């Protein structure tokens, strides 16, 4: 069965967020929930719904993302028909990067022209949903819309989200700036569906006028002219855009509120780690633990990524420990986020607060 | 395309002594170590030894095994040249027969091996848990200018009568092979791993096939014949962990070996990874009142009760108030609330309902069959 949707994951609008973690990686490549990277959720959602051609448009720092995605095999996207396409940022002849996502789409226009799918679905990587793209497309068609945008009820006070204002029959009449205001009822899920032809026309028009942002430069100014429709998403949503949101959304996973249990499987790069070993005297509670860890100490209300070592009498509490970090004997880590391969030496104490978790950079020894 | 060495992995064994665990699946597909199946070990050894052409000979209940192997991607054996090939018995002009023995299985696939025009053929089985660099064994084979090299282990003298024993001279040249000798002259046991010069093996397989009295078996026929013919047969001494997991007791013991403070078998060596097909499960979740000690636990598990000194495969649930001790719990098993399990192997997708008791401290190892349902409140200490 062929699928009418061409998947587009647009990382162009996510630059500059969460600098503590994205100094050396895309936001899309930020590790989340013990064994995944953020992009796994969008990719998984797309492929489990039968989308078999996905283009990922990057703007910067895409090494770790490319390493993660490889040929797309883990997502069943190493295909002769369709498959995974990764687009490095478009550069101007003078070597400078283009300003926004539109330039990137325009530069790689041929990808859209060649693909056979009549519709495009455009999403990002840092708003995690289980949105049903097929249902959204059906809705798009039955409403005769030009463009359909996903929206959800404002649950969390999300300072990153854009409010959406709806008129009659779920027609989108306004898209606000990023930020939270208690008056806003709905928030944009960063999901767009439109026909490929319209998409190409809009991209061409806008780039000729020097616009560089799809939502702000193209869709927002034309809300009165185009039929832009809203699609109500009622499932869970997790938005990651800052240290605090990363921390809080991770902690939600431990209260079983996260999105990870809403997918039958989540696909990611396989590392072939052995199972986790719990040694004598280990005390682990309310913890999400990936494979390859070795735990002799105490772990409470925390997330351990692959290959973490918690030594004897060490204590980890309310923390997120990324892959291959080592907590030595008697060390204490509380309310902290440790990036990959951090070593906390014997007896050291790292302590943040719930409202301001401390972040320790990659490969740091404390 | 030419390959220096082709591996042939005998994976058609029934594994009768594993009882319910092999009733519907071949022995090499039996689960081991929280994440693996037995066949992952020889296959990963091949990957780690740079062997990229592996023929897997299947016969008994192959469905689960075939599905698991796929095109060999998990072991990096999805190759343009060589790679993994599943070789079941097939119908030919000469007749339609099952594989009649280990040598017959290889004989029937001469053309598969010929296609790669190899210098050497490595014969493996899917019965053992061990890590071995076959390339080192090949180096030894070349150094000795051997026709045949047999991998051997020193076993305790009192256990030697259970093995195929090789009597060697000082330079490890094999003089005699004795199958399960009452009075062993040596304690070097054959591990069932052979490297042959392909020309030599090819000739002997053809001769053996014409011998109507033969059992078409490597241990019984091919190896003794190469010795009779005065070929250069050498023993390659392997040091390290090697365990036959052919019985319920030995399978359970080998799993328990992984739980020691310093396990005799190390699954955690990043330079010698054991590969397996990934079930794509979420990380394991250890609940608020859970207690986990001295255990090996895989992804997808959700533990609310107590787990002591046990091996849990992926996607296992242990409910509140339950105790799992000295046990092996295979993929997808569901253990309800207030269940007590001692010294058991709970096979995949079995369900132990609330309040049931399985096994007892110090008792025989109890096996709960795949998909078996132990009803609420039942006391199950031994299979009648």
């Amino acid at each position: 069965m062929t699928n009418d949707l061409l998947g587009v994951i647009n990382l162009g609008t996510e630059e500059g967020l969460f600098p503590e973690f994205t100094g050396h990686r895309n936001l899309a490549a930020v590790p989340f929930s013990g064994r995944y990277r953020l992009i796994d959720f969008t990719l998984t959602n797309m492929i489990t719904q039968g989308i078999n051609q996905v283009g990922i448009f990057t703007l910067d720092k895409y090494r770790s993302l490319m390493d993660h995605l490889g040929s797309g095999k883990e997502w069943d996207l190493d295909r002769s028909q369709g498959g995974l396409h990764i687009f490095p940022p478009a550069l101007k002849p003078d070597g400078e990067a283009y300003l926004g996502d539109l330039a990137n789409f325009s530069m790689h226009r041929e990808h859209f022209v060649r693909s056979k799918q009549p519709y495009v679905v455009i999403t990002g990587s840092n708003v995690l949903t289980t949105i049903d793209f097929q249902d959204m497309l059906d809705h798009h068609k039955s409403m005769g819309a030009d463009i359909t945008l996903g929206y959800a009820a404002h649950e969390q006070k999300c300072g990153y989200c854009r409010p959406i204002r709806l008129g009659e029959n779920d027609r989108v009449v306004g898209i606000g700036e990023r930020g939270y205001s208690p008056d806003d009822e709905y928030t944009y899920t960063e999901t767009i569906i439109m026909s490929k032809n319209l998409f190409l026309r809009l991209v061409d028009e806008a780039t000729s006028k020097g616009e560089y942002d799809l939502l702000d430069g193209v869709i927002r100014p034309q809300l009165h002219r185009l039929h832009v429709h809203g699609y109500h998403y009622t499932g869970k949503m997790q938005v990651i855009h800052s240290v605090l949101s990363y921390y809080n959304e991770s902690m939600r996973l431990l209260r079983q509120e996260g999105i990870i249990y809403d997918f039958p499987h989540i696909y990611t790069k396989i590392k072939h780690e052995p199972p986790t070993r719990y040694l004598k005297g280990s005390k682990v509670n309310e913890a999400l633990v990936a494979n390859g860890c070795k735990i002799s100490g105490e772990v409470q209300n925390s997330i351990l990524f692959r290959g973490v070592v918690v030594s004897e009498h060490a204590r980890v509490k309310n923390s997120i420990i990324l892959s291959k970090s080592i907590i030595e004997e008697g060390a204490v880590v509380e309310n902290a986020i440790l990036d990959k391969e951090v070593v906390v030496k014997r007896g050291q104490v790292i302590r943040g607060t719930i409202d301001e978790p401390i972040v320790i950079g990659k490969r740091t020894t404390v | 395309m030419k390959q220096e060495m082709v591996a042939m992995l005998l994976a058609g064994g029934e594994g009768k002594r594993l009882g319910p665990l092999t009733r519907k699946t071949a022995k090499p597909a039996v689960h081991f170590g929280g994440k693996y199946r037995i066949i992952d070990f020889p296959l990963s050894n091949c990957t780690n030894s740079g062997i990229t052409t592996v023929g897997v000979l299947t016969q008994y209940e192959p469905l689960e095994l075939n599905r698991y192997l796929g095109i060999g991607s998990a072991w990096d054996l999805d190759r343009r040249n060589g790679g993994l090939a599943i070789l079941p018995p097939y119908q030919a002009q000469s007749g339609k027969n099952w594989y009649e023995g280990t040598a017959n299985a290889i004989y029937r696939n001469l053309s598969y091996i010929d296609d790669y025009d190899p210098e050497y053929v490595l014969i493996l089985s899917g019965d053992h848990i061990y890590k071995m660099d076959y390339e080192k064994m090949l180096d030894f084979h070349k150094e000795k200018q051997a026709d045949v090299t047999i991998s051997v282990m020193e076993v305790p003298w009192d256990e030697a009568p259970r093995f195929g024993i090789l009597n060697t001279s000082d330079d490890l040249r094999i003089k005699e092979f004795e199958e399960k000798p009452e009075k062993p002259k040596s304690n070097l046991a054959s591990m069932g791993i052979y490297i042959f010069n392909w020309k030599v093996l090819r000739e002997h397989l053809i001769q053996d096939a014409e011998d109507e009295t033969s059992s078409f078996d490597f241990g019984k026929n091919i190896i003794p014949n190469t010795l009779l013919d005065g070929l250069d047969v050498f023993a390659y001494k392997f040091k390290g962990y090697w365990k036959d997991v052919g019985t319920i007791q030995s399978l359970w013991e080998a799993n328990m070996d992984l739980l020691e403070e310093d396990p005799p078998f190390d699954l955690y060596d990043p330079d010698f990874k054991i590969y397996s097909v990934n079930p794509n499960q979420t990380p394991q979740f250890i609940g608020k009142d859970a207690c986990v000690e001295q255990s090996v636990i895989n992804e997808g598990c959700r533990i609310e009760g107590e787990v002591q000194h046990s091996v849990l495969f992926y996607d296992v649930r242990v409910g509140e108030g339950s105790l799992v001790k000295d046990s092996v719990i295979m993929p997808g098993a569901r253990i309800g609330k207030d269940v007590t399990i001692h010294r058991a192997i709970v096979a995949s997708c079995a369900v132990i309902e609330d309040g049931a008791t399985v096994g007892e401290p110090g008792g025989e190892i109890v096996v709960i069959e795949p998909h078996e349902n132990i009803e609420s409140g039942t006391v199950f200490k031994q299979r009648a």
Side-chain angles (χ1 to χ4, degrees):
Chain A
M1 289 237 297
T2 54
N3 193 291
D4 281 346
L5 283 166
L6 174 67
V8 175
I9 302 181
N10 176 22
L11 309 181
T13 58
E14 296 170 6
E15 289 302 312
L17 292 167
F18 197 6
E20 298 86 343
F21 248 55
T22 54
H24 55 277
R25 52 168 91 93
N26 271 145
L27 184 56
V30 165
F32 186 66
S33 101
R35 68 175 296 198
Y36 307 105
R37 293 185 189 256
L38 288 181
I39 198 157
D40 293 340
F41 296 89
T42 303
L43 264 183
T44 296
N45 201 27
M46 283 187 169
I47 61 150
T48 44
Q49 295 180 32
I51 293 177
N52 53 25
Q53 185 167 8
V54 180
I56 299 178
F57 291 80
T58 66
L59 268 193
D60 197 6
K61 292 173 294 205
Y62 48 85
R63 185 208 59 82
S64 71
L65 187 68
M66 301 269 283
D67 174 55
H68 181 69
L69 296 170
S71 64
K73 185 166 147 179
E74 311 294 358
W75 299 268
D76 246 352
L77 288 172
D78 53 335
R79 300 289 96 178
S80 302
Q81 295 193 351
L84 180 72
H85 305 261
I86 304 170
F87 298 101
L91 292 178
K92 291 180 183 174
D94 59 10
E96 282 201 21
Y98 279 102
L99 281 167
D101 52 5
L102 272 185
N104 225 354
F105 293 144
S106 176
M107 189 73 186
H108 299 295
R109 192 178 189 282
E110 193 64 15
H111 168 70
F112 296 94
V113 174
R114 282 192 191 180
S115 64
K116 295 196 179 84
Q117 296 85 340
Y119 295 92
V120 291
V121 52
I122 306 166
T123 69
S125 76
N126 66 328
V127 176
L128 313 185
T129 66
T130 52
I131 200 161
D132 183 338
F133 300 122
Q134 210 53 53
D135 189 54
M136 186 171 166
L137 176 62
D138 292 345
H139 187 77
H140 174 82
K141 288 181 189 166
S142 68
M143 289 297 149
D146 293 319
I147 296 174
T148 299
L149 303 180
Y151 71 87
H154 235 311
E155 270 179 18
Q156 319 267 325
K157 293 176 186 170
C158 169
Y160 170 81
C161 297
R162 305 183 75 133
I164 274 206
R165 282 167 214 116
L166 299 167
E168 265 179 51
N169 290 327
D170 269 6
R171 182 143 179 176
V172 176
V173 295
I175 304 169
E177 295 294 334
R178 295 196 187 283
Y180 174 76
S181 136
D183 304 333
D184 296 320
E185 209 179 333
Y186 297 114
T187 178
Y188 172 45
T189 62
E190 315 265 333
T191 320
I192 306 172
I193 282 183
M194 66 178 111
S195 76
K196 190 175 76 181
N197 291 339
L198 177 64
F199 174 75
L200 282 172
R201 208 183 80 214
L202 293 175
V203 168
D204 291 347
E205 276 173 20
T207 38
S208 69
K209 283 189 224 152
E211 293 293 345
Y212 53 81
D213 189 279
L214 179 64
L215 196 73
D216 281 324
V218 179
I219 297 177
R220 254 174 112 194
Q222 304 198 62
L223 283 178
H224 59 284
R225 200 165 69 82
L226 295 166
H227 176 183
V228 180
H229 208 84
Y231 171 79
H232 193 180
Y233 167 66
T234 52
K236 283 180 199 151
M237 179 159 140
Q238 294 196 271
V239 186
I240 287 137
H241 57 95
S242 64
V243 169
L244 198 59
S245 64
Y246 179 80
Y247 183 74
N248 288 337
E249 294 302 328
S250 296
M251 291 297 145
R252 271 177 83 188
L253 302 173
L254 297 171
R255 298 192 300 270
Q256 314 282 306
E257 290 168 16
I259 202 162
I260 59 169
Y261 300 110
D262 294 353
F263 291 98
H265 294 280
I266 304 163
Y267 301 95
T268 188
K269 184 179 176 182
I270 302 304
K271 296 279 176 68
H272 293 285
E273 292 283 354
T276 280
R277 276 181 74 196
Y278 295 80
L279 283 93
K280 202 169 183 163
S282 72
K283 193 172 175 336
V284 181
N285 292 106
E286 290 178 281
L288 195 61
V289 182
N291 270 349
C293 295
K294 189 177 163 188
I295 306 173
S296 314
E298 204 174 306
V299 178
Q300 209 194 336
N301 196 44
S302 294
I303 297 178
L304 306 187
F305 281 70
R306 293 186 269 210
V308 166
V309 178
V310 180
S311 312
E312 284 177 3
H313 308 297
R315 275 205 344 244
V316 175
K317 193 178 171 187
N318 305 336
S319 294
I320 301 160
I321 317 290
L322 267 61
S323 346
K324 295 188 178 156
S325 287
I326 299 172
I327 320 295
E328 293 190 352
E329 277 171 44
V332 176
V333 177
E334 212 175 305
N335 306 322
I337 304 171
L338 271 48
D339 204 334
K340 288 183 173 189
E341 295 170 48
V342 167
V343 179
V344 183
K345 287 283 187 193
R346 184 186 266 256
Q348 292 294 313
V349 178
I350 292 176
R351 192 172 273 139
T353 65
I354 300 256
D355 302 317
E356 217 172 315
I358 190 167
V359 179
I360 308 292
K362 190 170 171 177
R363 284 199 200 109
T364 311
T365 299
V366 183
Chain B
M1 280 269 276
K2 189 169 173 69
Q3 296 282 352
E4 190 185 17
M5 182 154 81
V6 168
M8 298 296 274
L9 205 170
L10 297 156
E14 182 180 341
K16 262 196 194 117
R17 292 171 302 159
L18 285 171
L21 297 178
T22 49
R23 197 158 292 150
K24 282 191 176 160
T25 195
K27 180 172 163 189
V30 167
H31 296 283
F32 176 80
K35 172 162 190 172
Y36 311 98
R37 293 180 189 254
I38 297 172
I39 198 167
D40 286 330
F41 295 88
L43 284 178
S44 300
N45 287 343
C46 285
T47 308
N48 288 315
S49 310
I51 297 168
T52 55
T53 304
V54 183
V56 180
L57 299 124
T58 60
Q59 176 152 291
Y60 174 78
E61 287 287 353
L63 175 65
E64 199 174 336
L65 185 61
N66 288 351
R67 187 182 286 151
Y68 185 71
L69 294 172
I71 57 167
S73 316
W75 308 272
D76 253 356
L77 290 171
D78 49 336
R79 302 266 169 169
R80 230 170 259 289
N81 178 22
L84 181 139
I86 295 174
L87 304 170
Y90 55 91
Q91 186 179 350
Q93 292 276 315
S94 53
K96 23 189 167 176
N97 298 307
W98 296 107
Y99 291 151
E100 304 294 343
T102 52
N104 179 253
I106 307 292
Y107 170 73
R108 302 266 297 279
N109 289 285
L110 286 185
S111 56
Y112 169 79
I113 304 176
D114 278 339
D115 274 352
Y116 297 103
D117 186 23
E119 299 300 315
Y120 310 102
V121 170
L122 170 68
I123 306 291
L124 301 170
S125 71
D127 298 339
H128 299 100
I129 305 299
Y130 67 110
K131 293 194 294 186
M132 179 171 176
D133 186 345
Y134 303 129
E135 209 170 358
K136 287 187 181 152
M137 180 172 169
L138 180 62
D139 289 344
F140 173 89
H141 179 83
K142 289 178 185 169
E143 187 194 307
K144 293 286 183 188
Q145 299 184 321
D147 293 307
V148 187
T149 298
I150 302 175
S151 187
V152 298
M153 275 279 289
E154 278 184 35
V155 294
W157 279 96
D158 57 329
E159 287 181 27
R162 295 200 293 119
F163 292 92
I165 294 295
L166 298 162
N167 302 324
T168 63
S169 56
D170 290 345
D171 65 346
L172 292 170
R173 181 182 288 273
I174 297 171
K175 295 180 296 187
E176 193 186 8
F177 175 81
E178 289 183 287
E179 184 69 26
K180 298 181 182 160
E182 267 177 49
K183 287 182 185 159
K185 296 174 207 141
S186 140
N187 67 338
L188 293 179
S190 166
M191 297 163 68
I193 300 165
Y194 315 110
I195 290 178
F196 286 89
N197 290 351
W198 174 226
K199 275 188 199 144
V200 170
L201 177 60
R202 202 175 189 288
E203 263 171 41
H204 276 82
L205 287 173
I206 293 169
Q207 277 172 23
D208 178 63
E210 286 162 1
D211 176 2
E212 281 173 14
T213 64
S214 177
S215 343
F216 314 113
D217 185 85
F218 274 92
K220 289 185 192 129
N221 308 103
I222 302 289
I223 299 296
N225 287 344
T226 56
L227 288 168
L228 276 177
D229 290 355
L231 295 179
D232 295 317
V233 185
F234 281 86
Y236 171 74
K237 272 195 188 175
F238 172 78
K239 285 199 183 77
Y241 187 88
W242 178 74
K243 187 128 185 164
D244 182 284
V245 286
T247 63
I248 294 295
Q249 182 71 24
S250 64
L251 180 68
W252 178 83
E253 277 171 13
N255 276 289
M256 294 299 118
D257 282 347
L258 300 172
L259 303 176
E260 287 180 29
E261 187 85 29
D262 263 316
F265 188 61
D266 180 17
L267 291 169
Y268 293 76
D269 178 359
D271 296 325
F272 205 103
K273 278 193 180 183
I274 306 301
Y275 300 95
S276 59
V277 176
N278 196 281
N280 279 303
Q281 302 273 325
T282 55
Q284 52 199 276
F285 183 75
I286 312 295
K288 202 173 164 207
D289 302 312
C291 175
V292 182
E293 272 189 287
Q294 283 185 291
S295 294
V296 162
I297 298 186
N298 197 8
E299 60 195 50
C301 287
R302 286 172 83 165
I303 316 293
E304 302 290 348
E306 187 175 348
V307 178
Q308 293 283 352
H309 199 257
S310 293
V311 174
L312 271 59
F313 285 73
Y314 58 85
D315 190 29
V316 167
R317 303 276 184 278
V318 178
E320 283 165 41
S322 290
L323 168 69
V324 176
K325 198 171 179 196
D326 303 326
S327 295
V328 179
I329 317 291
M330 291 184 174
R334 295 283 178 268
I335 294 163
K337 294 177 187 170
D338 304 314
V339 167
T340 308
I341 300 179
H342 284 281
R343 295 170 69 82
I345 296 178
V346 176
S348 49
C349 301
V351 178
I352 317 291
E353 291 183 3
D354 296 354
T357 301
V358 173
E360 56 189 330
E364 290 268 300
I365 306 304
V366 170
V367 180
I368 304 300
E369 301 192 8
H371 297 278
E372 192 173 354
N373 194 57
I374 303 297
E375 282 176 25
S376 186
T378 314
V379 178
F380 190 105
K381 290 199 172 152
Q382 214 171 333
R383 198 168 288 280

